[in-house]
Amino acid sequence: MFENNKVLLKLKKKFKINTPRVEGIVKKSEKGFGFLEINSKTSYFIPPKKIKKVLHGDKIIARIGFSKNREIVIPEKLIESYLNIFVGCLKKINKQCFIIPDYPFLKECIPCSFLIKEKKLFESGDWFIANLTKHKLRDNNLFHAEIIKFVSKKEDPFKQWWITLSKYNLKRSEPKFSAKKDLLLKDITKRIDLTHLPFITIDSNNTKDIDDALFIKKIDKKYFELTVAISDVTSYIEYNNRLDKIAFKRGFTNYLPGLNVPMLPRELSEDLCSLKPHKERFVLACTMIILKNGEIQQDSSNFFLASIKSKEKLSYKNISNWLKKKGTWKPSTKIIEKQILELHNFCMSRIKWRKKNSLIFPERPEYKFHLSKNGDILNISVEKRRIAHRIVEECMISANFAAANFLCKKKDFGLYNVHSGFDLSSATQISSLLAKENIFFTPEKITTLKGFCELYKILTNNKYKYLKNRIRRFQSFSEISFKPNPHYSLGFSKYATWTSPIRKYGDLINHRFLKSMIFNKKPIILKKKILQTISDQKRKHRLSEREIEDFLYIKYFKERNFNNKIFNAEIFEISKGGIRAKLLENGANIFIPNSFIHNIRSELKFNTEDGVIFIKDKICCKISEIIKVTLVDIRINTRNIIAKPVFLLK
């Protein structure tokens, strides 16, 4: 009766036009519904029937409506699809092909077609790169994708590595090279011959790309003269040539559990440029004077080109054990023994100086995955930094600080690592937090390098662990810049890395700047986009490493029965849904849903900003605390390890 009622149709059209719209990001759940997140505090429910039109992560405009006395949103317009170029798994159903994206909460079977040949050779379970060409919210209620590149067969034991590298558009093998062009020495500048000096290298046993060597001597028992020699990669790679462009695009050597993908051809990184023992190699070197109290004497640093011949490759483990008088290993000669002892003395003086005048890195355990040749996970071990690691670290930090001081003498020379600490807008809030613990800093003081260092020296006290965790969220991120600004988290007025040119393109750039300074030449002219490219590549490498680690943790726990084992876990995040924590034994991240925290939901309150959970208005736990947990579920699809406290928190 009302179908052709023009007045009613007009009212409906007017109502639809006047209905409020919201813009946000789609967040799907495993239970078939989802939410549209407008901001950190506002979200709207998307019903199961409507959620099928969108993908997790889509940016959309939705119309606000009501259903069963509940405010909901109805997806209406696609602004930006979460999927564009993506990695997925092929699924064949009755001769029709579908591709399932490799993302948590994205398990849609998307119809697909092939743009690559030999599609008959592919089968369900194989992996590909695809391009989403149609979206239900935009293209007549259809999803469709085109398969554009093969990634891995389903039976490949390293398929997860290839999937992850493809997802972040990272290379899976070393660069191709021409032996006639790329392996030729380009820089034949005359160098200082230091092959007679007893340089040594200190690395892990399996390290092949050795890029730093050390030599030290004590003069009149008053000061150290330290020489850090770094492989002169630029003697083979000229600016803007083919290999240089490849290295720029890669940015870094990618170190993943069980696999490393070099920035440079292995013939360079692991042979011609590697500072192998008893092989003459070209280096860019820096000699520094370090006073007895550990201070680097200003303007004493001298940068120059040299040739060296490392006398021995030493390992972190052997040196650390020998200095602690453990094990059977000992230096092969008295000369090398003296080098180790003097480097140890230098290291202790630098640590003492940095504790007083700058900042020391917090001691964090490193977790190492032990894999078989087929990628099976054998074990996960905790590896703490030992004294030999500290020796090398102090040498490299000193050399990088010296490089920054050397480069900043002239304008437009140098690529600097900067960290600006806190901005003034956050400083007032930080000052208030500190005052509650009877720590008094003005907002202005906190934003200075000196004030930042003084604050963190106080926060090293274990009783301020929670406070330190709260304040850390206000810190800025480290960046790279052409300007020599301070690096607050190191406690230095300036800092420029150049000690890993085999592995980092930014360090290779600084080699060119340093050479230009040495020979009084004009600096190379770099575009500003190079900063963003290096930063983007660094972020992708971190994400790929984290994703492989998460995969290995899931595999590790899935293959072993840990149901009755109790773990110590440190809380690092509190959200509305529950607790995120790290298992101290092996470094795995776990999630504790709020249903496991307390059995009466109405008595449970979360303060996500302060990182605190209340039960009956009393604090039951907070970030930085260590709790005991057991594992409940290993969720492969979302790559979550679900745990619960050994006892309900009270």
Side-chain angles (χ1 to χ4, degrees):
M1 180 172 66
F2 296 106
E3 283 182 10
N4 297 316
N5 190 313
K6 293 181 179 180
V7 176
L8 185 59
L9 290 172
K10 195 173 181 180
L11 283 170
K12 282 185 176 181
K13 188 175 181 181
K14 184 177 179 181
F15 176 76
K16 191 173 181 180
I17 292 171
N18 294 330
T19 302
R21 267 79 173 168
V22 288
E23 181 181 310
I25 305 295
V26 174
K27 300 293 182 183
K28 283 193 173 184
S29 77
E30 293 178 280
K31 297 180 180 179
F33 57 84
F35 295 90
L36 186 67
E37 286 195 355
I38 311 305
N39 51 47
S40 60
K41 296 181 180 178
T42 307
S43 63
Y44 293 90
F45 180 75
I46 305 175
K49 286 185 179 180
K50 303 299 179 182
I51 199 73
K52 292 178 181 179
K53 287 194 171 187
V54 289
L55 300 171
H56 179 83
D58 282 349
K59 188 176 184 180
I60 67 168
I61 293 173
R63 175 163 45 91
I64 296 177
F66 288 89
S67 176
K68 298 179 181 179
N69 298 320
R70 181 179 186 179
E71 197 171 38
I72 65 168
V73 291
I74 301 167
E76 198 170 70
K77 183 180 179 181
L78 180 69
I79 298 174
E80 184 180 355
S81 175
Y82 180 73
L83 280 188
N84 185 12
I85 305 294
F86 66 95
V87 178
C89 181
L90 183 68
K91 186 174 183 179
K92 290 183 177 181
I93 304 175
N94 298 327
K95 295 184 179 181
Q96 189 172 356
C97 292
F98 299 86
I99 189 162
I100 305 170
D102 182 51
Y103 297 88
F105 303 108
L106 273 175
K107 297 305 172 187
E108 285 84 357
C109 287
I110 300 172
C112 63
S113 56
F114 283 81
L115 288 185
I116 53 178
K117 297 178 181 179
E118 300 176 342
K119 64 180 181 180
K120 291 182 179 180
L121 299 177
F122 303 127
E123 54 189 342
S124 289
D126 292 345
W127 290 83
F128 300 87
I129 296 175
N131 178 26
L132 187 73
T133 55
K134 291 184 179 180
H135 192 291
K136 279 188 177 183
L137 212 56
R138 181 188 61 204
D139 303 294
N140 299 321
N141 208 28
L142 290 172
F143 282 126
H144 189 270
E146 292 177 339
I147 288 177
I148 56 179
K149 189 177 180 181
F150 171 72
V151 172
S152 173
K153 295 293 289 181
K154 63 179 180 181
E155 65 271 12
D156 190 329
F158 279 89
K159 67 182 179 184
Q160 190 59 48
W161 282 257
W162 314 139
I163 291 165
T164 302
L165 291 171
S166 297
K167 184 184 294 185
Y168 295 107
N169 196 24
L170 297 171
K171 302 298 181 182
R172 55 194 283 176
S173 60
E174 65 179 291
K176 294 180 180 179
F177 66 93
S178 165
K180 291 182 178 180
K181 294 180 180 179
D182 298 326
L183 304 185
L184 290 177
L185 189 65
K186 313 298 194 293
D187 184 354
I188 55 173
T189 306
K190 188 176 180 181
R191 296 162 185 268
I192 299 172
D193 186 353
L194 300 181
T195 55
H196 61 286
L197 294 179
F199 277 90
I200 59 172
T201 65
I202 307 173
D203 279 286
S204 299
N205 284 327
N206 58 351
T207 300
K208 295 180 180 178
D209 51 347
I210 308 168
D211 51 15
D212 58 85
L214 307 170
F215 168 70
I216 193 168
K217 60 181 178 180
K218 201 168 186 178
I219 300 176
D220 297 332
K221 297 183 180 181
K222 293 180 181 179
Y223 58 87
F224 298 101
E225 185 181 84
L226 172 68
T227 301
V228 175
I230 305 298
S231 173
D232 187 7
V233 178
T234 58
S235 63
Y236 284 91
I237 302 176
E238 294 176 316
Y239 174 62
N240 216 28
N241 73 1
R242 194 186 70 85
L243 273 187
D244 185 60
K245 289 176 181 177
I246 290 172
F248 164 58
K249 288 179 181 178
R250 294 187 176 219
F252 302 85
T253 290
N254 199 357
Y255 292 99
L256 300 172
L259 176 74
N260 78 76
V261 184
M263 181 179 76
L264 304 172
R266 293 190 192 276
E267 279 72 8
L268 286 174
S269 62
E270 297 180 1
D271 188 9
L272 295 176
C273 292
S274 182
L275 305 183
K276 293 181 174 182
H278 315 300
K279 299 286 185 181
E280 185 172 351
R281 292 289 185 261
F282 283 178
V283 297
L284 175 59
C286 171
T287 296
M288 297 161 277
I289 301 298
I290 295 92
L291 303 179
K292 193 176 180 180
N293 66 354
E295 181 182 0
I296 299 174
Q297 188 172 307
Q298 292 292 327
D299 298 323
S300 69
S301 303
N302 179 33
F303 284 83
F304 56 95
L305 298 181
S307 58
I308 69 162
K309 191 180 287 186
S310 167
K311 298 303 180 280
E312 194 165 341
K313 179 190 175 186
L314 305 176
S315 73
Y316 293 120
K317 181 180 178 181
N318 286 340
I319 291 178
S320 298
N321 285 343
W322 182 71
L323 288 171
K324 295 289 184 182
K325 298 181 179 179
K326 295 180 179 179
T328 58
W329 181 88
K330 62 181 180 179
S332 59
T333 67
K334 289 292 182 182
I335 293 174
I336 289 177
E337 178 181 315
K338 185 177 181 182
Q339 283 293 300
I340 295 171
L341 291 173
E342 294 294 19
L343 283 168
H344 179 248
N345 292 334
F346 152 81
C347 175
M348 292 297 101
S349 67
R350 279 297 291 163
I351 290 173
K352 186 176 180 180
W353 185 89
R354 288 212 297 134
K355 280 183 178 179
K356 183 179 179 182
N357 298 282
S358 59
L359 289 174
I360 297 287
F361 293 127
E363 290 290 344
R364 294 176 183 172
E366 293 183 3
Y367 299 95
K368 184 176 180 179
F369 294 85
H370 301 272
L371 307 178
S372 71
K373 291 182 179 180
N374 292 324
D376 295 322
I377 184 160
L378 305 175
N379 192 23
I380 303 171
S381 63
V382 183
E383 296 194 353
K384 295 183 178 179
R385 288 190 311 140
R386 302 182 67 191
I387 186 59
H389 294 85
R390 300 295 296 272
I391 288 171
V392 174
E393 182 179 87
E394 290 302 327
C395 290
M396 298 306 114
I397 289 172
S398 299
N400 290 332
F401 178 64
N405 282 324
F406 184 73
L407 290 167
C408 75
K409 291 176 182 178
K410 288 189 178 182
K411 188 180 178 182
D412 298 326
F413 281 80
L415 188 63
Y416 300 89
N417 302 68
V418 301
H419 179 259
S420 55
F422 307 114
D423 58 46
L424 196 56
S425 61
S426 302
T428 302
Q429 192 173 349
I430 296 167
S431 183
S432 299
L433 287 172
L434 294 169
K436 291 177 182 178
E437 297 290 335
N438 295 317
I439 302 172
F440 300 102
F441 279 80
T442 64
E444 292 74 19
K445 187 173 183 179
I446 291 170
T447 56
T448 65
L449 177 61
K450 184 180 179 181
F452 185 93
C453 291
E454 288 180 10
L455 171 60
Y456 269 85
K457 283 170 188 172
I458 294 172
L459 295 178
T460 54
N461 190 314
N462 204 44
K463 71 176 181 178
Y464 297 125
K465 193 175 180 182
Y466 167 72
L467 181 62
K468 185 178 180 180
N469 205 305
R470 289 273 329 268
I471 289 172
R472 191 183 295 129
R473 62 193 291 267
F474 294 104
Q475 273 189 209
S476 63
F477 294 101
S478 59
E479 301 173 318
I480 52 174
S481 170
F482 291 128
K483 294 182 180 180
N485 293 320
H487 197 298
Y488 277 60
S489 61
L490 282 173
F492 288 149
S493 58
K494 57 191 76 71
Y495 197 71
T497 63
W498 65 287
T499 53
S500 294
I502 289 176
R503 306 164 185 170
K504 301 177 184 177
Y505 187 75
D507 288 23
L508 192 145
I509 289 174
N510 273 337
H511 271 236
R512 294 190 173 117
F513 279 126
L514 289 165
K515 281 187 173 183
S516 296
M517 287 280 286
I518 292 169
F519 297 109
N520 199 25
K521 293 181 179 180
K522 290 183 179 180
I524 54 173
I525 305 301
L526 299 173
K527 295 179 181 179
K528 286 188 177 180
K529 72 174 185 178
I530 199 170
L531 303 179
Q532 189 60 50
T533 301
I534 292 174
S535 297
D536 287 346
Q537 286 300 101
K538 187 176 183 178
R539 179 184 61 83
K540 287 180 180 180
H541 282 216
R542 284 178 175 173
L543 289 172
S544 65
E545 183 180 8
R546 189 181 306 162
E547 192 158 312
I548 292 297
E549 288 177 353
D550 287 345
F551 161 76
L552 289 173
Y553 279 123
I554 293 293
K555 190 176 181 182
Y556 179 68
F557 287 114
K558 199 71 179 176
E559 292 173 354
R560 291 160 176 81
N561 182 12
F562 288 104
N563 291 342
N564 298 319
K565 184 170 181 178
I566 296 175
F567 295 91
N568 288 324
E570 183 175 353
I571 300 172
F572 65 83
E573 182 185 352
I574 285 174
S575 64
K576 292 178 181 178
I579 293 171
R580 294 202 174 275
K582 183 181 289 291
L583 300 183
L584 299 182
E585 181 179 308
N586 50 52
N589 290 336
I590 60 163
F591 180 65
I592 305 172
N594 53 36
S595 58
F596 290 151
I597 297 169
H598 186 63
N599 49 19
I600 304 175
R601 182 66 182 88
S602 60
E603 296 177 353
L604 196 62
K605 292 182 181 178
F606 294 81
N607 186 326
T608 57
E609 189 172 336
D610 292 345
V612 178
I613 297 177
F614 297 88
I615 296 177
K616 295 181 181 179
D617 296 324
K618 291 184 178 180
I619 294 176
C620 74
C621 63
K622 56 187 179 182
I623 52 173
S624 78
E625 284 187 344
I626 295 173
I627 58 175
K628 294 186 181 298
V629 301
T630 56
L631 305 187
V632 176
D633 190 17
I634 311 299
R635 296 179 182 173
I636 297 174
N637 288 342
T638 56
R639 292 170 192 160
N640 269 334
I641 301 170
I642 308 301
K644 67 177 181 180
V646 174
F647 303 105
L648 285 178
L649 299 173
K650 297 179 180 180

